[in-house]
Structures are given as C-alpha cells and as structure tokens.
Amino acid sequence: MVDFDFSAYEDLQFDDIDLDLFKSGSCTWVCKYIIVWVMTLMRVAVLVSDLYTCYKLIALNSWSNNIVQPIVPFKITKWLFSTCILISFVLWALDILVAIRLLRDSKARRSISRMYLNNCTRTYLSLRSFRLFCLFSRIEPASYFEKLSVWSYFEIKGAPRLLFGESPRQLINSMTLWSILVSKSGKLQNDYMNFGGIFHRIKLIALQNHEEAVLLSFMLFSVLVWSFFICKFCFLMIAAMWISYQLSHEPLKGQYYNLRSFVHHVVMRNINNMVIRRLESNVYDIESIWSTYTFVDDNRQTMLSTIYTPLEAHTKYC
C-alpha cells in the first residue's frame, strides 16, 4: 500500500475557491447533469409506487397477481412487503434528517468534503447548482486502493436499505418467478427448467393475460437489477474488510486510520490536488496572455482578476 501524507492538506471550503473555474458547458457535462435529474425523479417515482403498493396490501388487502400467486402465503407476504417498504421510508427519512442537520451546521455546509461524502447533500447541492455538480463530478480518487475505499464506504452507508428494504421483497419475487417454472398448469419440459424458461413461461402467460405478463416482466427486471447490486455489495464488503485490515496494520505517516477517516482524508486531499491543478492550469494561461498582451483592455483585466481570485486559497494552504 502506498504511504500517504495527509498532513499537508486542509479541508477546503466552498468560499475558498472560484466555482466558475470548474464549470463546463460541454454537451457531455450537460447530459450528465440531466441524467442526475432523471435518476432523482425515478427514485421519487419508485418511492411513490412503493407507497401505493403498501396501501394496496394493507388497506385493500389485495395482490396484483391473479395467475401466479406468491409462493409464500399472502398473509405473510403482505406484512413482509409492507414492513420492507416502511423500513425503506424510515431509512430515507433518516438520511434526509442527517442531510438537513449538516446543511444547517454553518461549519459543515461550507466544507466541500463533508457535503460530498453525504449522498443526500451531494445530490441536493448538485441539483440546485450546475457549478457544484461539476465540482463534485471532478473529485476522483487517484489510485485503485483509494477508489475501492470510497466505493466501499458508500456501499456500507447504503447497506441497510439494500438488506432490509429491498432484499426480502426481491427474494419473494425470486421465489414467485421460480414458481412459474414448477407450476402444474402448462408444465415445461426439462429443457426449459432454467433461466430462459422463465421468459418462455411469461410468453405463455401473455397469451392468457397480457397485463399479468407485463407485471411478471417488471418483476423479473427488478430481480435482475437487485442481483447485480447484491453481488456488488458482497464484493465491496469483502474489499472493505481487506482495506480495514490494511489500514489497521500499516500506519500512514505513523497514524492508524479506519475506513471512514481514511476516505474523508482521501477526498479532502483529492479536492486540494484538484484545485491546485486547476490553478496551475490557469497560471499557465495567464503567463501566455502576459507575454502576448499589454493589460490596457478592461475586459482582460476583469478576466485576470477572476482567475487570480482563488490563488489566495492556494497560497494559504501551500
């Protein structure tokens, strides 16, 4: 593992830098910004859909499927689904409360690293300002060890929602999909007793009830997506244990770190390096302009003053 020195870096604040230096008007960045908005709206739509499902299960006491019933009895399924949905809402509410508390903290809300390391505050600030979105998007870990550490940190923060809010529901969905392969009506041949057989059975169900087939298709899609995330979770949990072992047995500049503190210092250092690289790039541009022009034009004077504004932060921390 590389020996890091975090002592030379400070926790930069938004007031220390000129955000316009990191703003990009290219189509790629605009598309990325639109994707963030779309993904956020999709999360809200999923929450509304879950809320309706919870209401339908408890208040209406009904199940959407008519042809394929859950392999688990409905009385158990109803309360299991409803509990998982409510857990998801509680976890979302806790995340939002923590984010509100950070935003109300005058010191925390000025810290770039603290706003970046909280998913809610990072998303909120990114949606509110395109400049902040560009700034957060440019914060990238340098080495694979750092990237793995940051990914593991965020995965641990989202683990309760995946394990308690999503996994029980998707396991029941998986068993329901399996039940269509072993159902007595229209029994499949042994050649179809595999993953491809699910698609074949859904096609057969579509001949009787198109709406039911669409519902099962969405169920299959959600199970596949959950399978990807649960595999990623298992991999990153193993990585987190290895990283924690490395950090606890190999001190960095004589100091031991846990995963949380290490990730905070990594992000803080990357923000410092990102700002310094951007400032150095602008210094080179200034030197080029200086050698070409005499500074009589007011427009150039204004441009140079905006470029030099964050240099105070650069000299302050170097």
Side-chain angles (χ1 to χ4, degrees):
M1 187 174 61
V2 181
D3 193 12
F4 299 98
D5 182 13
F6 295 124
S7 59
Y9 299 96
E10 299 290 338
D11 191 5
L12 287 178
Q13 300 179 355
F14 293 104
D15 296 335
D16 293 330
I17 63 176
D18 184 357
L19 294 176
D20 288 329
L21 292 176
F22 304 93
K23 182 179 178 181
S24 176
S26 66
C27 294
T28 302
W29 284 92
V30 173
C31 290
K32 290 180 179 179
Y33 190 58
I34 293 174
I35 291 174
V36 171
W37 268 99
V38 172
M39 295 299 294
T40 303
L41 293 176
M42 287 180 64
R43 291 191 186 100
V44 174
V46 169
L47 289 175
V48 174
S49 175
D50 285 344
L51 184 61
Y52 172 75
T53 302
C54 187
Y55 163 76
K56 191 171 182 180
L57 287 171
I58 296 178
L60 301 182
N61 198 35
S62 63
W63 178 257
S64 298
N65 280 345
N66 294 319
I67 294 178
V68 179
Q69 293 294 322
I71 197 169
V72 179
F74 176 72
K75 290 183 178 180
I76 299 177
T77 302
K78 176 181 70 172
W79 291 110
L80 185 58
F81 264 63
S82 301
T83 302
C84 290
I85 293 172
L86 292 176
I87 289 175
S88 296
F89 271 91
V90 170
L91 292 174
W92 276 113
L94 290 176
D95 287 344
I96 293 174
L97 289 176
V98 171
I100 292 174
R101 183 178 179 182
L102 285 174
L103 291 170
R104 287 182 175 179
D105 187 334
S106 58
K107 183 179 180 180
R109 71 166 178 259
R110 293 197 298 266
S111 171
I112 301 176
S113 61
R114 294 193 66 178
M115 293 296 101
Y116 176 82
L117 288 172
N118 184 279
N119 286 322
C120 288
T121 57
R122 186 176 70 253
T123 302
Y124 168 73
L125 293 175
S126 297
L127 295 178
R128 196 182 69 172
S129 171
F130 179 67
R131 296 188 306 167
L132 292 176
F133 165 76
C134 293
L135 174 67
F136 289 142
S137 299
R138 294 178 187 274
I139 301 174
E140 289 291 339
S143 65
Y144 287 111
F145 185 83
E146 292 181 11
K147 290 180 181 179
L148 204 58
S149 301
V150 175
W151 293 342
S152 300
Y153 173 77
F154 283 121
E155 193 69 26
I156 291 175
K157 294 187 70 174
R161 188 176 298 108
L162 176 65
L163 295 178
F164 304 111
E166 292 294 332
S167 294
R169 287 190 290 168
Q170 297 303 332
L171 288 173
I172 292 179
N173 286 339
S174 301
M175 290 187 288
T176 302
L177 290 170
W178 174 253
S179 68
I180 74 172
L181 287 177
V182 297
S183 59
K184 295 181 180 180
S185 57
K187 193 172 183 178
L188 295 175
Q189 298 177 358
N190 291 332
D191 294 340
Y192 288 100
M193 295 298 291
N194 50 38
F195 182 76
I198 297 177
F199 293 97
H200 183 80
R201 179 55 64 86
I202 291 176
K203 290 180 181 179
L204 295 179
I205 293 176
L207 299 177
Q208 306 175 44
N209 190 323
H210 180 72
E211 182 179 354
E212 198 75 20
V214 172
L215 178 65
L216 289 172
S217 298
F218 277 109
M219 186 183 295
L220 176 61
F221 175 75
S222 65
V223 170
L224 292 177
V225 173
W226 169 80
S227 300
F228 168 77
F229 282 109
I230 202 68
C231 290
K232 186 184 74 166
F233 168 79
C234 294
F235 170 75
L236 289 178
M237 288 304 97
I238 296 174
M241 290 187 289
W242 174 72
I243 292 170
S244 298
Y245 175 82
Q246 293 289 328
L247 294 175
S248 62
H249 287 75
E250 297 184 21
L252 307 178
K253 292 295 181 180
Q255 183 176 352
Y256 290 95
Y257 290 88
N258 56 32
L259 179 61
R260 183 178 181 276
S261 61
F262 177 74
V263 168
H264 176 78
H265 282 85
V266 163
V267 170
M268 185 177 67
R269 189 200 64 179
N270 291 339
I271 293 172
N272 278 250
N273 291 339
M274 175 187 65
V275 172
I276 292 172
R277 286 195 302 268
R278 191 63 178 172
L279 292 174
E280 289 176 345
S281 174
N282 282 296
V283 168
Y284 294 147
D285 293 340
I286 291 172
E287 291 176 348
S288 176
I289 296 173
W290 194 288
S291 62
T292 306
Y293 298 102
T294 57
F295 301 106
V296 179
D297 193 340
D298 292 338
N299 292 330
R300 295 195 187 97
Q301 289 283 7
T302 303
M303 179 188 66
L304 289 176
S305 65
T306 57
I307 292 177
Y308 267 102
T309 298
L311 283 177
E312 296 177 1
H314 176 58
T315 55
K316 176 180 178 183
Y317 296 118
C318 293

